[in-house]
Amino acid sequence: MRSPARGLYVTGTDTGVGKTVASVALLQALRAAGCTAAGMKPVASGCERTEAGWRNDDALALQAASAPSQDYDTHNPYALPAATAPQLAARRAGVAVQPPVIESAYARLRDTADVVVVEGVGGWLAPLADELEQAQLVRSLGLPVVLVVGLRLGCLNHARLSARAIVEDGARLLGWIGSACDPDFDDVEDYRALLQSSLPVPCLGWLARGCPPQSPSAQLSVAVLLDQLSAGVEVHSLPYTG
């Protein structure tokens, strides 16, 4: 097996589309393929106070799916109490999100794992903090991007806009994952075909409806993912279709 790139960044077409489920599924699939893999949520808003400090459910799921795992603060450097946009949550907590802190935590994970799966916030254009866009962090860490597409009405537009924005921001788009996030959406199969013909990168798999992050039921093409991680193909060379 070729040595993969050291990390990837998971973003979504919106909030609540299944980024954490996808990230955990990726970690589990990578581990099943023989890689050591660790998950990271650099900035998490919506945390509960515990005896050990503020904790976020998504970050805990990523930590639990990591092998090897490290201390919580490495997997989630910024745990913000308020369940709102990270910018607002940081202001309310009086916290200034500093990129070097995130970069240092990422480096610690990278030193012990073949692949680090970094989960973003909301959709691609949701800032991580005041004056910190997700694209900036992706560039500073040198990470390719996986897009999670929430399968619901409007997802074709959101997916194409997100893919285009990722490319225009200078990031490398590896592939996308379909997530059945809307239990009332009946056109999943038709939209699968539309998305596959419209997005410029491979589909890595599908996430089942209502699957918890701790035990995702997903079929992800790890072979395709590892090929993409190893190939270094720039998405700029792939034309849009449809």
Side-chain angles (χ1 to χ4, degrees), residues 87-113:
Q87 284 175 290
L88 297 177
R91 291 177 198 167
R92 293 175 186 176
V95 171
V97 175
Q98 301 292 336
V101 173
I102 298 173
E103 293 164 3
S104 178
Y106 173 80
R108 292 195 297 274
L109 292 171
R110 185 191 58 201
D111 286 343
T112 61

Side-chain angles (χ1 to χ4, degrees), residues 211-235:
C211 185
Q214 293 81 3
S215 56
S217 173
Q219 295 182 354
L220 301 183
S221 180
V222 179
V224 172
L225 176 64
L226 292 175
D227 282 345
Q228 290 292 94
L229 283 169
S230 302
V233 176
E234 292 294 335
V235 74

